[in-house]
Amino acid sequence: MREAVGAAAAEVAGAEAPPRGVALERPKNQAHGDFATNAAMVCAPIARDNPRNVADGIAAKLADELGDLLTSAEVAGPGFLNLRLSDAWYGGALGHVLGEDAFGSGVAPTPERINVEFPSANPTGPMHIGHGRNAAYGDSLCRVLKYAGHEVSREYYSNDFGTQVERFGASIAARAAGSDVPEDGYQGEYIDAIAKSIPGAAGMTAEELQHVGVEKMLAMIGETLTRMGVEIDVWFSERSLHQDDRFERAIETLREAGHIYEHDDAVWLRTSELGDDKDRVLRRSNGDYTYFATDIAYHQDKRQRGFDRLIDIWGADHHGYIQRMKAAYAALGGDPDTFEPVIMQLVNLTENGQRVQMSKRSGEFVTVDDLIDDIGADALRFFLVQRSHETTMDLDLALAREQSDKNPVYYVQYAHARINSILEKAGIGTDAGLPTAIPELHESERALIRRLIEFPDEIAETAFRRSPHRLTIYGREVAAEFSAFYRDCKVVGEADDVTQFRVGLCVAARSVLAQTLDLLGVSAPERM
RNA sequence: GCGCACGUAGCUCAGUGGAUAGAGCGCUGCCCUCCGAAGGCAGAGGUCGCAGGUUCGAAUCCCGCCGUGCGCGCCA
């Protein structure tokens, strides 16, 4: 269909390929046909004719090419071309959905090897809601990228080196000794729990406790991620960079490339020449390297592992870090376009309109585990990925808890379970295929088919824009379209060809819904 | 002060330069002798922050202003 319109547009414009900007879209208003195209308005300047004449030309060519698959093509408004398609075309479209193994997969124009780093919560405490959003987003993005045809590696960067984990170890040591944690330590009750869970903790040094504590903390975070349905492929230790010469080599690379200079006893990276506001310190005058320096070594390591693209998913408070890291990446010899930091905005956790405290230091925070216990992993993931990652969002705990049965996630899952139930009742083989003669269709059937065949475009767009939240909307739309079909069309007990066609439609809808839910990391129950 | 985001229905938020700007929640009123009512139907509710510009056409792109958030360290 799209090709036919493109070809007709190209011909009228006298060009080889369809001009940029030609779009085939689903009109919101049913009076505007099954599909509409702006092709004539785009081509008019090229063809040096007014849009309505151009539209007439395209319409004639389409009628020629599509034959009886096309019912009508009318020119409307400033030059829109409104197209109506026959039931035979709809039958063919549904057959196409059913005929593919993994409908909508492999749509990425150029498959890449992509490393996605998230949520990289510090191993000094449990995951809170911000990490939860990061994980829900990151994992769904990975699933979509993979489905679209990319090769994906999920990587967790553990900050198990430096000041923060030292304070963490000191805090455990203090609790193990029965004294108060230091002023700059971690206050949460979980520190107590960790201290108690380590046999002989009282006799261990802060450094030993730090290592054991980090190990325990990472295991806990891994368990939380598993409960969320997130499986990390690579757990990367910051400390490991310092255990061989990888750190020194990365710095040496920068030095050889001439990006480093010394000033005031410190070592600087000339990031200002690569898009940053000012130069940044790599080694302080006291001899210590900065966190930035280690991060550069980490990204050099990732780069050398042969990925086509690195995606880092960072919290909102890191957006000031983007320019300097891109500059460093370029200084290492990387193409800045293949390094893609994505910023996750904040989640404001509220309860009865009141802001819930999330400070790790004070220990008063709601953990992801608490939330899963409260509202379930499905609802949590759906909620967290429902909003665009670039929007600050509110999550009202009381609402999520008390009204969980009105959560949109149940609406989509319900449609899936209901289709399943209908297919069981129909009792005929779900792989029977469509009847050879397509029965006359109800408008709800056409609407549902139109929605289902959007799926590949939806996947491509979601992957390209790194916006998995689109799929929560798409899933609701499919569910709503199915509900309309369910209202208008009986499946069981109709004439053989009608039932057979509708069973096929149900199978297709179920498979698209199940796939959509899976990409969101949400279960697709057969019964609820 | 500088930089980066964000201002869309009562609330939370979608919206790819296209036709009459949408969804969920909340509100009002209906629908189960009917394959699942966790559902459906109808309704009320909008100066898309303000003011200019770009063009056949702007919530969308550009400039300015107002508001909110975040970041501006030889911290991590």
Side-chain angles (χ1 to χ4, degrees), chain A residues 49 99 107 201 213 248 277 301 412 459 464 486:
Chain A
D49 200 349
V107 292
E248 283 77 13
D277 296 340
D301 185 87
V412 183
I459 296 296
F464 178 68
Y486 170 81

Side-chain angles (χ1 to χ4, degrees), chain A residues 267-300:
Chain A
V267 175
W268 297 71
L269 181 64
R270 215 183 302 276
T271 52
S272 65
E273 287 185 356
L274 294 162
D276 197 9
D277 296 340
K278 54 183 176 184
D279 294 342
R280 307 290 172 176
V281 170
L282 295 179
R283 197 185 71 198
R284 291 182 271 162
S285 50
N286 69 5
D288 290 346
Y289 279 95
T290 59
Y291 177 83
F292 181 48
T294 312
D295 221 11
I296 290 171
Y298 172 50
H299 283 81
Q300 176 73 331

Side-chain angles (χ1 to χ4, degrees), chain A residues 112-246:
Chain A
E112 296 180 321
R113 289 193 61 201
I114 305 178
N115 177 288
V116 185
E117 186 218 313
F118 73 97
S120 301
N122 278 352
T124 53
M127 287 177 65
H128 60 63
I129 187 66
H131 302 127
R133 185 181 192 186
N134 197 307
Y137 170 86
D139 184 62
S140 291
L141 177 62
C142 285
R143 289 173 188 236
V144 172
L145 290 173
K146 196 167 176 185
Y147 196 68
H150 300 290
E151 199 177 308
V152 177
S153 178
R154 295 166 173 81
E155 183 154 326
Y156 187 111
Y157 181 56
S158 170
N159 300 115
D160 56 357
F161 184 82
T163 318
Q164 294 304 322
V165 283
E166 280 164 24
R167 288 176 183 166
F168 178 61
S171 301
I172 299 173
R175 293 313 298 153
S179 48
D180 289 343
V181 301
E183 185 66 20
D184 59 1
Y186 291 87
Q187 309 283 344
E189 283 176 20
Y190 68 95
I191 296 288
D192 264 337
I194 290 173
K196 287 202 182 83
S197 74
I198 301 173
M204 294 166 74
T205 67
E207 194 183 342
E208 288 169 329
L209 288 170
Q210 172 194 322
H211 295 308
V212 180
V214 163
E215 216 167 289
K216 283 185 174 289
M217 212 57 250
L218 279 178
M220 283 172 63
I221 289 169
E223 243 171 78
T224 304
L225 286 171
T226 299
R227 290 185 76 195
M228 286 185 75
V230 180
E231 292 302 332
I232 299 295
D233 299 306
V234 175
W235 294 83
F236 193 98
S237 156
E238 177 183 356
R239 179 172 295 278
S240 74
L241 288 166
H242 299 277
Q243 287 168 342
D244 50 36
D245 63 347
R246 276 177 293 169

Side-chain angles (χ1 to χ4, degrees), chain A residues 48-61:
Chain A
R48 294 169 195 280
D49 200 349
N50 81 60
R52 294 189 65 103
N53 283 341
V54 175
D56 281 333
I58 295 176
K61 293 213 189 317

Side-chain angles (χ1 to χ4, degrees), chain A residues 133 345 385-393 467 469:
Chain A
R133 185 181 192 186
Q345 291 300 331
V385 85
Q386 204 176 4
R387 308 305 182 199
S388 161
H389 65 272
E390 51 198 16
T391 305
T392 308
M393 62 173 275
S467 299
H469 76 276

